[in-house]
Amino acid sequence: MLTVATARRNALYCVAAFFMLSLVLGCGKEYRFIKAASFKGPRGISITFAGPVDEKWAKDQANYSINEKTDPDIYLRIAAISLRPDRLSVTITLEEDINQKATHTLAIKGIVSEGRNMGSAIVDVKKFYLGYLLSILMGAMIINNFVFTKYLGLCVFFGTSQKKSTAIGMGITFTIVMVASAMMSWFLYQFVLKPFRLDFLQIVVFIGLVSLSVQAVDTILRKVNPVLFKAFGVYLVLVIANCIIIAVPLILADNEYNAIESLMLALGAGLGFLIALFLMSSVRERIELADVPPTFKGLPIAFILGGLFALSFMGFSGMSLF
Amino acid sequence: MKARKKTNSELFFNGILNENPIFRLALSMCPAVGISTTVMNGVLLGTAVLFVQVFSSCTIAAIKNYIHPRIRIPTYTLTIATWVTVIDLMLAAYVPEAYKEMGIFVKLIVAFAIITMRLETFACRNPVGASFWDGIGMGLGFTFGMMALGLVRELLGMGTILGYDVLGFRPLLFFVLPAAGFFCVGLMMAIFNYMEIVYNRRKKV
Amino acid sequence: MKEIFRITIGLTISCLVAAVIMGSVFAITDKAKKHNEHVNVQDTMLGLLGFNKDKPAPRDLRFFSIYRYTLDDSGATRLAYMVPVLDGGKEKYELVVITPAGEFVERFPLKINPEAANEGHERELALRSVLRPSTGLSFADSAILAVKGKERLAYLLPSEFPGFKTFIKVILALDPMFTVIGLEIMEHEEDPGLGAEIVQPYFKHQFRGKSFDRLRELKVIKEPLPDEYKTALEKKAPDKGGLSKADLETLRDKYRDEDIYAITGATISSNAVTSGVINAAKKFSYRLKTLEKVIAAQRLAVSF
């Protein structure tokens, strides 16, 4: 249910994101008198002011109201407020644990500093956005590695993990095509398929875009750098047969990521595939020299190895980084 | 007429045994590892693949004379994607429960190498009838592979078959865990290899 | 040149044919899909209320949906509830806009029939037609009230929260005192054998009978589930190794105020479901009280 307004907002966001990466680092709106607001511990929110604030004002619970951004009507109850001795920072402790994944809105009424009224402010408190992006990247790369925990892209994975050099070539080619096609499909999905309610065409559109980007990378590489093309050209065709490349756009479509988050997920998926290929090829080069029973030679032993890798990747599951 | 019929049945069994997509050709491994936890999943996804394979094979075999050789691959992709969409929509509408089980894998049929490969190596050189039988054979072969894996994993992992309690206890929960898919496929392949080795040895003697 | 021309024509024709096929299939299946989904949700809701084939729902049982939207009215955040009302015996929807603090702002009658209100798209059209064009509109959630005659039977809350892998969608049923009647997992993508066990009766039925005050303090404990409690939760027929009705009652009373026992190897999924249920119940009870105050003050002829 994407309204035109949200689409427009998304477009703005996308443009802003691409041209001003610094915006990523910003944490929402900044008010002049409030220097920073962040989560502190499981139940605390700390606010740093530009100047010393009045103690009587600062300790009054009625001056603050906190809510999750998606629930503007439900105010979280404040248990205690403490002021640092230098009167520059206030820590609000809530009665219950904060859901730190959600953005919180903190409204502060009539700040009083050195007897002067500095006005009211509304600030968004959320986790460091870059940290969130990194956690998407690491998530797709290791914690939810597409090969070992989602079991996608296996045909190509087992086909190209015999030698390290092949593995690296395939991994890099795949990552490039992955990022290119995921970004295109994100864009097309958000601005064409969804607003016009053409969701049902997503499979055709996504696979078409993948073929298109493969073709484009092929042509560009052939013209610009023939040496590189010789090294990587052979893998390009294989990319189409890899289900990860079609799974990522589908996941993006389901999860409402914005442009940068999508970029991170695609990059993570590509790098994760590269890591998986590299690990597997290292082991398979050694296995070549080992005495494997004839029935297990070739693919069967590779699958058993894949299973061992998958088991060890299960150890990462549930990890949260930031 | 008789000879012709034999070819068809040969085509049919070719997909199930000699060129079994999962255990012999080692194609379309993702669902074989990912959702082969129960027999039912195998049957459902297998049926979906069967339909896509048969429809795509027939379509390509029917229009092969009109396809310009240079746009051969895009046409295949388009055909498969169309049929996958059709099956996807149908499943979502009429069997929502099963569709939920299979998750993203129905949509991923579009990237299954087995279908494209059959179109490229078989359907574009053979008439509709032969392609139909080849498609059915390949589809059933895939279903068979998925079911075999599902049987092992469901029986050992949950102690059930098709949801019915058979053993009354869970022998090895490990088998239903996601990572065990790799082991199962590996072991099954080894069994197929072993059978082949034994068969060849007998033939020599 | 001629070749390119032929290729282009060939591709265009095949694309058109493909689009026509997909479009027509979509047109045919879309209705069936929505119908099936609706039936599925309806069945689940009846099941949660304890009705099934052996015990059919009474004739006068009806479901009413309340939809909540958040509005952004030139900088000011507003809540908008689509409330089912009775207007001369006919069922209609009215939009009630309130401030986050619960003060009434404005209300509009909506031109939408109750059937169409199931569709998010239709609702949005109806809302757009009464709101100022510059107002930002986003759907928040919905709640369903089960009413039997004049008496409220239950609140059914469709809810969605992040699980271990992706989102878990559930329907939570509360009685008018906000005690949990039941929990049904609608969609999830947890690992089979681990997180996927949340759909098993021995986990989801643990929530049954928890009072609202108990629910607020509910925790997840990592202890093995006692065998007798598990048999009670699985509620098999007595001849299949299950328990008699009296035994079941005593066991239920014994474990009524117990915390939630985590699923072995899936603590995160268990935690996610528990906190999701607690949040859904807490938020809903708060909102319903606010909304009822407004309804009473405005003398809205609500259908529930």
Side-chain angles (χ1 to χ4, degrees):
Chain A
M1 256 178 296
L2 185 97
T3 57
V4 181
T6 359
R8 217 173 280 148
R9 206 181 316 143
N10 269 345
L12 271 176
Y13 200 93
C14 166
V15 170
F18 274 119
F19 295 111
M20 305 190 292
L21 218 94
S22 59
L23 205 127
V24 181
L25 303 162
C27 294
K29 293 177 208 159
E30 290 285 350
Y31 284 82
R32 255 181 307 159
F33 197 69
I34 292 169
K35 270 172 44 187
S38 63
F39 294 123
K40 195 179 177 189
R43 293 186 175 188
I45 288 179
S46 93
I47 314 156
T48 315
F49 298 99
V53 287
D54 194 75
E55 191 173 350
K56 194 168 159 248
W57 171 84
K59 291 256 169 118
D60 188 0
Q61 293 193 1
N63 287 327
Y64 306 92
S65 66
I66 304 163
N67 59 270
E68 280 182 29
K69 204 170 188 183
T70 45
D71 298 315
D73 53 335
I74 296 180
Y75 297 109
L76 304 175
R77 267 178 294 174
I78 298 168
I81 295 173
S82 66
L83 185 65
R84 232 174 35 195
D86 61 3
R87 292 192 288 139
L88 283 173
S89 167
V90 160
T91 303
I92 303 171
T93 314
L94 299 176
E95 277 183 4
E96 281 165 29
D97 287 358
I98 302 172
N99 172 16
Q100 303 207 350
K101 277 180 195 133
T103 310
H104 285 63
T105 310
L106 170 65
I108 306 173
K109 249 192 328 211
I111 305 168
V112 183
S113 166
E114 312 281 15
R116 275 190 306 144
N117 191 333
M118 307 300 288
S120 302
I122 298 171
V123 274
D124 282 352
V125 187
K126 59 180 162 188
K127 280 196 173 174
F128 198 34
Y129 192 56
L130 204 62
Y132 174 61
L133 288 181
L134 265 178
S135 73
I136 293 184
L137 178 75
M138 295 300 282
M141 205 157 89
I142 292 172
I143 302 167
N144 293 319
N145 186 293
F146 275 80
V147 178
F148 291 133
T149 66
K150 291 201 171 141
Y151 318 104
L152 297 176
L154 295 179
C155 310
V156 180
F157 174 68
F158 284 108
T160 55
S161 61
Q162 266 143 341
K163 278 205 321 246
K164 261 189 223 159
S165 52
T166 331
I168 294 171
M170 181 67 214
I172 293 173
T173 319
F174 178 75
T175 311
I176 295 169
V177 181
M178 175 82 259
V179 171
S181 69
M183 289 322 288
M184 284 199 288
S185 20
W186 177 83
F187 194 82
L188 217 65
Y189 183 73
Q190 292 293 339
F191 300 116
V192 182
L193 293 189
K194 254 179 108 179
F196 294 102
R197 290 159 65 82
L198 290 170
D199 289 27
F200 65 96
L201 284 178
Q202 51 176 303
I203 301 173
V204 181
V205 170
F206 292 163
I207 195 87
L209 279 175
V210 171
S211 329
L212 204 72
S213 36
V214 166
Q215 198 60 51
V217 173
D218 187 287
T219 319
I220 294 169
L221 216 59
R222 206 188 288 256
K223 292 261 159 63
V224 175
N225 196 335
V227 185
L228 213 61
F229 179 76
K230 247 188 190 157
F232 292 143
V234 278
Y235 308 120
L236 276 169
V237 189
L238 282 173
V239 170
I240 308 182
N242 191 338
C243 22
I244 301 179
I245 205 140
I246 190 85
V248 168
L250 290 172
I251 291 173
L252 291 178
D254 273 354
N255 281 337
E256 297 288 323
Y257 285 126
N258 69 29
I260 317 169
E261 291 163 6
S262 309
L263 179 71
M264 285 296 155
L265 187 82
L267 194 63
L271 291 178
F273 191 64
L274 176 63
I275 291 176
L277 273 176
F278 183 75
L279 287 174
M280 192 66 178
S281 59
S282 311
V283 179
R284 278 179 87 174
E285 278 187 0
R286 292 295 297 273
I287 281 285
E288 288 283 290
L289 309 170
D291 183 21
V292 180
T295 38
F296 276 95
K297 272 229 160 74
L299 272 180
I301 193 72
F303 265 91
I304 305 282
L305 285 173
L308 290 175
F309 272 118
L311 271 183
S312 46
F313 267 76
M314 267 178 85
F316 289 117
S317 64
M319 237 166 68
S320 64
L321 288 170
F322 295 96
Chain B
M1 210 52 211
K2 213 175 176 186
R4 162 99 197 172
K5 219 168 197 173
K6 207 182 162 202
T7 354
N8 278 350
S9 68
E10 257 175 27
L11 286 171
F12 179 73
F13 284 112
N14 176 43
I16 297 179
L17 294 172
N18 294 352
E19 290 191 10
N20 186 294
I22 295 183
F23 301 122
R24 299 312 300 264
L25 301 181
L27 290 169
S28 341
M29 306 307 313
C30 314
V33 172
I35 57 161
S36 61
T37 45
T38 62
V39 182
M40 205 55 208
N41 278 357
V43 175
L44 289 169
L45 193 72
T47 323
V49 170
L50 178 78
F51 274 104
V52 175
Q53 178 76 70
V54 169
F55 282 132
S56 310
S57 283
C58 291
T59 317
I60 292 298
I63 60 166
K64 60 178 180 288
N65 295 331
Y66 309 102
I67 305 173
H68 194 281
R70 292 196 60 180
I71 55 161
R72 204 174 68 243
I73 300 290
T75 319
Y76 295 164
T77 317
L78 186 68
T79 315
I80 298 170
T82 310
W83 288 118
V84 170
T85 311
V86 170
I87 299 287
D88 185 65
L89 289 171
M90 296 274 222
L91 286 176
Y94 299 113
V95 274
E97 294 290 306
Y99 181 72
K100 246 184 257 166
E101 283 287 306
M102 289 185 280
I104 200 172
F105 279 103
V106 181
K107 287 180 179 148
L108 289 183
I109 295 177
V110 77
F112 280 11
I114 174 73
I115 298 174
T116 324
M117 197 202 90
R118 284 331 281 181
L119 297 187
E120 171 78 16
T121 58
F122 197 90
C124 72
R125 298 199 192 110
N126 288 284
V128 179
S131 304
F132 174 77
W133 285 109
D134 180 68
I136 293 229
M138 280 293 152
L140 281 180
F142 178 81
T143 316
F144 164 72
M146 288 291 289
M147 276 171 69
L149 281 170
L151 189 73
V152 173
R153 292 184 70 182
E154 196 180 342
L155 191 67
L156 290 180
M158 313 281 281
T160 59
I161 289 177
L162 281 169
Y164 292 106
D165 215 331
V166 180
L167 296 178
F169 67 101
R170 294 177 168 193
L172 284 165
L173 182 65
F174 170 74
F175 272 93
V176 83
L177 294 189
F182 283 106
F183 290 99
C184 280
V185 176
L187 290 175
M188 288 289 235
M189 280 180 161
I191 292 170
F192 261 67
N193 281 352
Y194 181 73
M195 289 199 304
E196 196 185 1
I197 291 171
V198 170
Y199 181 75
N200 286 344
R201 207 183 289 152
R202 287 240 176 100
K203 224 162 61 177
K204 262 180 215 163
V205 176
Chain C
M1 197 59 211
K2 209 177 159 194
E3 198 133 306
I4 292 176
F5 196 61
R6 271 184 56 199
I7 291 175
T8 326
I9 288 192
L11 263 183
T12 320
I13 290 175
S14 33
C15 282
L16 278 178
V17 172
V20 167
I21 294 177
M22 283 184 284
S24 45
V25 171
F26 175 72
I28 297 166
T29 56
D30 195 41
K31 252 192 186 152
K33 182 182 172 186
K34 276 175 188 153
H35 174 76
N36 277 347
E37 260 169 21
H38 185 68
V39 168
N40 185 19
V41 170
Q42 201 87 9
D43 283 350
T44 315
M45 292 195 302
L46 288 175
L48 276 170
L49 297 179
F51 301 116
N52 50 31
K53 270 183 199 138
D54 305 325
K55 190 185 162 199
R59 282 274 174 80
D60 53 351
L61 178 73
R62 306 200 53 192
F63 292 113
F64 297 103
S65 301
I66 298 178
Y67 301 95
R68 185 170 66 92
Y69 281 82
T70 23
L71 304 184
D72 182 12
D73 192 359
S74 47
T77 311
R78 298 269 182 268
L79 293 178
Y81 287 95
M82 267 177 75
V83 185
V85 291
L86 281 175
D87 182 20
K90 257 172 91 189
E91 236 178 87
K92 278 188 179 161
Y93 269 100
E94 192 143 338
L95 187 73
V96 180
V97 182
I98 59 175
T99 62
E103 284 146 28
F104 174 77
V105 181
E106 50 195 338
R107 58 188 253 201
F108 311 95
L110 290 176
K111 278 190 215 105
I112 184 168
N113 65 339
E115 311 285 81
N118 275 328
E119 301 266 330
H121 184 66
E122 298 279 339
R123 285 200 303 268
E124 203 153 300
L125 282 181
L127 292 185
R128 285 253 167 252
S129 66
V130 293
L131 293 168
R132 277 177 289 281
S134 61
T135 314
L137 180 70
S138 71
F139 176 66
D141 59 14
S142 65
I144 299 147
L145 292 96
V147 180
K148 185 179 165 234
K150 286 268 161 207
E151 165 205 14
R152 261 188 230 180
L153 269 190
Y155 306 119
L156 295 150
L157 316 175
S159 169
E160 193 183 326
F161 41 82
F164 176 59
K165 286 215 151 157
T166 50
F167 281 89
I168 302 177
K169 281 186 189 165
V170 302
I171 294 184
L172 176 68
L174 303 176
D175 76 358
M177 300 302 297
F178 304 111
T179 302
V180 181
I181 300 177
L183 173 74
E184 195 59 57
I185 315 283
M186 302 300 287
E187 267 176 55
H188 74 93
E189 276 176 42
E190 307 298 285
D191 288 327
L194 302 170
E197 297 286 292
I198 52 171
V199 301
Q200 299 289 338
Y202 76 77
F203 180 75
K204 67 179 183 196
H205 288 177
Q206 286 187 38
F207 290 94
R208 276 190 184 168
K210 301 268 187 268
S211 67
F212 186 58
D213 288 327
R214 183 71 193 89
L215 193 68
R216 296 162 68 107
E217 306 293 318
L218 206 59
K219 297 219 158 38
V220 176
I221 47 172
K222 284 204 230 176
E223 275 170 39
L225 188 70
D227 275 341
E228 51 172 13
Y229 189 26
K230 192 176 174 187
T231 0
L233 289 168
E234 282 176 345
K235 214 173 137 188
K236 282 180 194 157
D239 53 320
K240 280 181 189 160
L243 299 158
S244 68
K245 236 178 180 173
D247 282 350
L248 211 64
E249 275 308 309
T250 36
L251 275 175
R252 253 193 223 155
D253 281 337
K254 185 176 167 192
Y255 289 102
R256 175 151 297 157
D257 284 337
E258 207 63 13
D259 278 318
I260 301 295
Y261 289 89
I263 297 164
T264 325
T267 318
I268 298 177
S269 302
S270 316
N271 270 329
V273 175
T274 311
S275 61
V277 166
I278 297 173
N279 273 332
K282 271 204 296 204
K283 286 179 183 166
F284 175 72
S285 72
Y286 176 83
R287 285 191 178 123
L288 188 73
K289 278 171 197 155
T290 326
L291 184 64
E292 276 182 334
K293 259 183 229 157
V294 175
I295 288 173
Q298 288 295 315
R299 301 222 178 85
L300 266 174
V302 287
S303 350
F304 45 86

